[in-house]
Amino acid sequence: MVTRRTLSILVENQPGVLAKVAGLFRRRGYNIHSLAVGITENPEVSRIVTVVEAGPEETEQIIKQLNKLVEVLRVNDVTNHHTVDRELALVKVNATPGTRAEIMEVASIFRANVVDVSEKTMTLEVTGKGEKIDAIIQLLRKHGIREMVRTGQVTLVRGVQTT
Amino acid sequence: MPEVSVMAKSTPTTKMKGAQALIEALRREGVEVVFGHPGGASLPLYDALYDVPEILHVLVRHEQVAAHAAKGYAVASGKVGVCMATSGPGATNLVTGIADAYMDSTAVVAITGQVPTAVIGRDAFQEADVTGITLPITKHNFLIRRAEEIPEVIRKAFYLARTGRPGPVLVDVPRDLQQVEMEFTFPEEISIRGYRPVTEGNVNQIANAARAIASSRKPILYIGGGVIISNASPEVRELAERTRIPVTYTLMAKGAFPDDHPLCLGMLGMHGTAYANYAINTSDLIIAVGARFDDRVTGRLKDFAPEATIIHIDIDPAEIGKNKPAHIPIVGDAKRVLQVLLEMVQPPQDIEPWHKQIEEWRRKYPLRYRQSSDIPKPQFVIDLLSRAWGGRAVVTTDVGQHQMWAAQFFLCREPRTFITSGGLGAMGFGFPAAMGAWFARPNKPVVAILGDGGFQMTIQDLATAVEWKMPLKLFIINNGSLGMVRQWQELFYHRRYSHVWLKNPDFARVAASFGAEGISVRHPEEVEPAIFRAMEIEDRPVVVDCHVDPEENCFPMIPSGQSVKEMILDLD
Ligand SMILES: Cc1ncc(C[n+]2csc(CCOP(=O)(O)OP(=O)(O)O)c2C)c(N)n1
Ligand SMILES: [Mg+2]
């Protein structure tokens, strides 16, 4: 059965590594739902968090193939771990004197920050799980979203355990 | 987190140029021969090579030949093959050979010149993104960023190429870094975090394998190229003889088990023997060693060996379960795993009915051909080649019908004596591979079985073979066509022969013009004298152009994506 699986991948922080990982996904036909990369507590190591759509056998293949890349140090499937998952979105919506208050209210319900205001727009910054971000975008849509940007999911396992 | 890599001992440093450091590193890696072709971005490397006569450099006429020859050398010797090219077009010409080495897990190091660091990414003259292009067809690749790292990168490249599941590794060296003065330090030991191949198999799983073998009734050993790579032929043989389990091999493992051994069923798969295919598909236990259940072996996966329990031994964890789920997975080096298995294994109790059944298949469906007409059959030529050289020569093949006939009819007894392009199936491979093999085994006869189509893809390098006085025996199975494609058009496209007939040159005269010996054969009785003549020639290559029956088909055949039930034994 195909489901979304979250993989946490530690890699050497070197040029070209992200291209290698992405290239592997492309040429073997794996489906990436999201991908985020950044450095870790160790400046020589980066963490890639990717959400893939795959069945159990395919997930196992993906992990094994990732492990074959020399720069890949460790791969963990954290789907069934207790995790903190976050995405971030910046959403620029149309705002008039008449709608500002309503937008502010939506923002406060979702604990979004207003990070920019112009005569005709407001830009909200929202973080949270993917569903939360989907929900606020849904509510803001009626005002007219001028543009938006959204990151891939980042994930850490809860508790003392490290992955 | 694994420990950060440690450089244990290093040699004292000396100053030299980057290019000299690279050649010095090759020398320390024990490189005897490099197949290459120079150009602007590799000028400093060639200048450094000029001072190092211990490393032979073979100037090929096309870089593809360099890469194929490096593989031929690597397979024949068990060492790392090395090829070298300039940037841009030189490097792109290597690509087919690198892809071939990747598919067949061969230890090859490719060194390419690159445009100077300052102009990388600006579409400089003869720039190509070679590390990008070769990303999916190398085990790993490196772009040198500082001259100081050259010796260590070369060391890592050789280490990665030959350990674990071997494969090609490319090192791209910008020209400016070849010229920079640097301190040469050669690390004696290296470790690469993120790269830890598992060689020792899990003992519990090996014990499970031993139990499965003891209780099997219809077991079969299915061996692949990994057996040759890990030098596990003696262990396979001991296992087979002690348990009396019959052995079938993939194209890549031909030679790993003697063709004339009573337990040998020959090659399996699309053009394998009928009895090997019947046996594996009827078996109750498959012991797969260094093989990867490739589609040319299994056909339609869901119908492949439906009743068999599968023991899968492979050094690459990603191969296990990739195509066919394994009941007993064992990750490890084939030789090591088999050694441990041999300590525990007991022969199956009641295997005689199985042998009887196999012997019946063998009797009923032997490999055969009919040499009746006044034109030689391709199998007849290969049969005679086998009688002349079988078990004594290193044989290479190109890709097509003649390759499959060579696998069926040429007798091999030892590993590293059958060299072919398996996974990639790259036409143009056979002749360059023979050149590489000759450097590895100069005292063995080297015979290449070539198609008239494929030979023309790398024929220009007759110049190289003549220059080096290589006594190669190059036999063209000349059916005047792209025979394998013609066969598929005959069987599956209503004989609509679309662009498969070849208007060929007179190969004997082509050979002569290069300074090689050329012989034409048109009648069955001329084949043997031509072989004897070829045996006598020791100081140059000989091209024997064998005009064979153009309509002969290669059988048995399991059509692509089908199962043993659909096997075509013969057309009549
Ligand atoms: C580089 C390359 N191009 C095309 C093919 C497809 N192909 C496979 S076999 C074959 C025919 C080869 O003809 P020839 O070398 O004469 O060998 P024959 O089959 O006639 O023995 C072709 C075109 C290939 N394998 N490699
Ligand atoms: Mg042909």
Side-chain angles (χ1 to χ4, degrees):
Chain A
M1 200 198 28
V2 175
T3 54
R4 284 197 182 162
R5 317 215 47 114
T6 306
L7 305 182
S8 179
I9 309 162
L10 291 175
V11 299
E12 302 267 10
N13 180 14
Q14 278 170 9
V17 177
L18 182 61
K20 281 198 179 180
V21 170
L24 177 83
F25 277 84
R26 178 193 54 76
R27 72 175 177 274
R28 295 207 180 256
Y30 305 142
N31 276 325
I32 304 185
H33 176 70
S34 85
L35 188 142
V37 57
I39 55 160
T40 62
E41 71 286 355
N42 177 349
E44 287 179 6
V45 174
S46 298
R47 188 189 298 274
I48 298 174
V49 174
T50 181
V51 180
V52 298
E53 284 166 13
E57 275 131 47
E58 193 178 13
T59 307
E60 193 184 323
Q61 257 300 303
I62 294 174
I63 293 170
K64 286 173 167 177
Q65 293 293 348
L66 283 167
N67 272 318
K68 282 171 69 168
L69 298 180
V70 169
E71 297 93 338
V72 168
L73 305 174
R74 198 193 297 174
V75 186
N76 274 298
D77 181 353
V78 296
T79 313
N80 297 326
H81 289 54
H82 290 293
T83 54
V84 184
D85 306 322
R86 290 291 180 270
E87 289 177 33
L88 181 147
L90 297 174
V91 190
K92 190 185 288 177
V93 291
N94 291 327
T96 61
T99 59
R100 264 176 219 282
E102 190 185 338
I103 293 168
M104 297 283 282
E105 195 176 324
V106 170
S108 88
I109 293 168
F110 284 87
R111 295 185 200 190
N113 297 321
V114 179
V115 288
D116 186 51
V117 182
S118 73
E119 246 171 67
K120 292 181 177 164
T121 64
M122 290 171 80
T123 300
L124 306 189
E125 171 209 300
V126 59
T127 59
K129 290 201 175 213
E131 305 89 80
K132 172 178 162 186
I133 294 178
D134 292 344
I136 189 170
I137 288 168
Q138 197 51 41
L139 287 174
L140 293 174
R141 205 152 254 154
K142 71 170 188 194
H143 302 287
I145 296 176
R146 290 210 166 203
E147 60 178 357
M148 64 171 262
V149 59
R150 192 168 168 173
T151 65
Q153 176 184 317
V154 295
T155 293
L156 269 189
V157 170
R158 289 179 189 271
V160 290
Q161 188 194 353
T162 58
T163 48
Chain B
M1 219 43 230
E3 266 305 292
V4 180
S5 58
V6 274
M7 299 304 140
K9 290 173 281 173
S10 322
T11 45
T13 64
T14 18
K15 270 215 179 312
M16 58 175 80
K17 289 200 170 128
Q20 293 171 310
L22 193 143
I23 302 299
E24 175 60 15
L26 293 184
R27 203 183 61 77
R28 296 203 190 189
E29 285 293 341
V31 173
E32 306 167 316
V33 56
V34 173
F35 303 91
H37 196 114
S42 60
L43 275 167
L45 289 174
Y46 274 83
D47 193 54
L49 203 51
Y50 197 72
D51 293 326
V52 185
E54 307 100 282
I55 299 180
L56 298 178
H57 177 276
V58 181
L59 174 64
V60 296
R61 274 34 169 198
H62 187 300
E63 290 86 348
Q64 180 183 353
V65 168
H68 287 328
K71 182 196 180 192
Y73 173 86
V75 175
S77 67
K79 300 185 210 160
V80 180
V82 183
C83 56
M84 199 152 101
T86 189
S87 67
T92 55
N93 274 349
L94 288 178
V95 165
T96 302
I98 294 173
D100 169 75
Y102 184 70
M103 292 294 272
D104 290 343
S105 309
T106 312
V108 165
V109 168
I111 293 158
T112 47
Q114 182 53 279
V115 299
T117 315
V119 295
I120 289 181
R122 298 178 183 214
D123 307 314
F125 177 63
Q126 294 194 325
E127 179 179 3
D129 172 11
V130 173
T131 44
I133 289 169
T134 59
L135 194 68
I137 53 166
T138 49
K139 182 169 172 184
H140 192 63
N141 64 29
F142 296 91
L143 172 62
I144 302 281
R145 287 165 193 283
R146 290 177 306 112
E148 286 69 31
E149 70 186 23
I150 288 173
E152 188 190 329
V153 165
I154 292 293
R155 193 111 175 80
K156 283 185 176 166
F158 276 76
Y159 177 70
L160 287 168
R162 70 168 176 262
T163 56
R165 179 180 184 170
V169 178
L170 180 137
V171 183
D172 203 20
V173 196
R175 199 186 61 201
D176 55 319
L177 302 182
Q178 299 170 29
Q179 281 159 323
V180 165
E181 281 273 330
M182 42 107 35
E183 295 278 342
F184 181 90
T185 37
F186 195 65
E188 302 251 316
E189 276 169 43
I190 43 158
S191 87
I192 301 168
R193 69 174 171 179
Y195 179 74
R196 296 280 156 91
V198 175
T199 53
E200 302 298 313
N202 178 305
V203 181
N204 293 329
Q205 290 290 28
I206 299 176
N208 288 338
R211 270 192 291 278
I213 288 170
S215 62
S216 68
R217 284 160 178 275
K218 296 184 286 178
I220 187 166
L221 265 155
Y222 151 47
I223 63 171
V227 166
I228 292 178
I229 294 167
S230 89
N231 298 315
S233 289
E235 286 76 13
V236 166
R237 185 165 179 166
E238 194 182 335
L239 178 62
E241 289 177 349
R242 270 182 34 200
T243 56
R244 306 228 330 107
I245 296 178
V247 180
T248 182
Y249 56 76
T250 69
L251 182 64
M252 294 314 298
K254 187 173 171 69
F257 192 74
D259 271 320
D260 51 0
H261 194 288
L263 289 167
C264 188
L265 303 182
M267 183 175 74
L268 83 168
M270 182 178 278
H271 290 290
T273 64
Y275 38 96
N277 284 321
Y278 287 131
I280 198 156
N281 279 289
T282 316
S283 67
D284 66 353
L285 178 69
I286 294 175
I287 308 152
V289 190
R292 59 188 175 88
F293 294 86
D294 163 68
D295 55 273
R296 282 292 185 272
V297 161
T298 63
R300 197 189 300 121
L301 267 172
K302 75 170 172 50
D303 293 331
F304 179 72
E307 278 148 39
T309 297
I310 292 175
I311 301 170
H312 195 171
I313 302 168
D314 204 289
I315 197 156
D316 181 356
E319 283 306 337
I320 291 173
K322 183 181 82 179
N323 293 335
K324 187 94 184 156
H327 304 90
I328 304 177
I330 304 174
V331 177
D333 177 68
K335 190 180 186 75
R336 287 294 304 131
V337 172
L338 292 181
Q339 282 170 345
V340 178
L341 179 61
L342 280 167
E343 288 166 18
M344 316 178 183
V345 77
Q346 297 292 331
Q349 290 301 307
D350 188 18
I351 200 174
E352 280 324 302
W354 179 229
H355 279 284
K356 278 220 183 70
Q357 167 73 80
I358 289 174
E359 284 320 305
E360 195 184 317
W361 285 324
R362 223 197 257 273
R363 254 199 327 276
K364 253 169 109 176
Y365 312 106
L367 279 178
R368 62 177 165 205
Y369 65 92
R370 290 181 208 93
Q371 180 53 53
S372 52
S373 60
D374 53 359
I375 179 159
K377 291 277 185 187
Q379 301 96 320
F380 170 73
V381 175
I382 292 169
D383 203 359
L384 289 188
L385 291 176
S386 180
R387 281 163 210 253
W389 280 297
R392 295 195 304 115
V394 176
V395 61
T396 73
T397 82
D398 216 84
V399 172
Q401 287 181 315
H402 65 280
Q403 176 189 33
M404 293 296 109
W405 285 316
Q408 294 175 340
F409 290 98
F410 196 96
L411 180 125
C412 290
R413 288 204 188 92
E414 282 167 37
R416 307 190 182 284
T417 60
F418 186 86
I419 305 176
T420 196
S421 174
L424 192 68
M427 285 169 71
F429 173 81
F431 166 44
M435 292 204 264
W438 179 73
F439 277 95
R441 305 296 296 272
N443 300 319
K444 270 205 180 252
V446 179
V447 179
I449 298 176
L450 309 171
D452 47 327
F455 186 31
Q456 291 182 75
M457 290 200 176
T458 41
I459 195 169
Q460 75 289 333
D461 268 80
L462 276 173
T464 312
V466 168
E467 184 184 328
W468 284 83
K469 300 186 166 46
M470 300 181 193
L472 308 176
K473 321 299 177 196
L474 309 173
F475 282 80
I476 308 175
I477 307 300
N478 186 347
N479 51 13
S481 71
L482 302 170
M484 188 57 94
V485 181
R486 189 206 55 75
Q487 173 169 345
W488 285 48
Q489 290 179 348
E490 176 180 345
L491 298 178
F492 311 119
Y493 291 86
H494 311 287
R495 301 191 180 205
R496 288 157 53 87
Y497 292 136
S498 181
H499 304 280
V500 287
W501 298 113
L502 295 171
K503 178 114 185 54
N504 285 323
D506 178 337
F507 287 108
R509 282 171 57 202
V510 171
S513 76
F514 275 101
E517 180 82 5
I519 303 173
S520 283
V521 169
R522 289 173 191 277
H523 298 286
E525 64 275 14
E526 291 171 354
V527 180
E528 207 160 34
I531 291 173
F532 287 134
R533 175 80 190 109
M535 280 181 166
E536 284 166 6
I537 298 170
E538 303 256 293
D539 62 346
R540 62 193 184 283
V542 49
V543 174
V544 184
D545 180 15
C546 306
H547 293 260
V548 299
D549 185 347
E551 304 261 4
E552 187 67 13
N553 285 324
C554 185
F555 293 119
M557 178 179 195
I558 300 176
S560 181
Q562 303 202 22
S563 78
V564 68
K565 291 198 196 90
E566 286 99 351
M567 178 160 55
I568 308 169
L569 288 164
D570 216 326
L571 276 190
D572 39 55

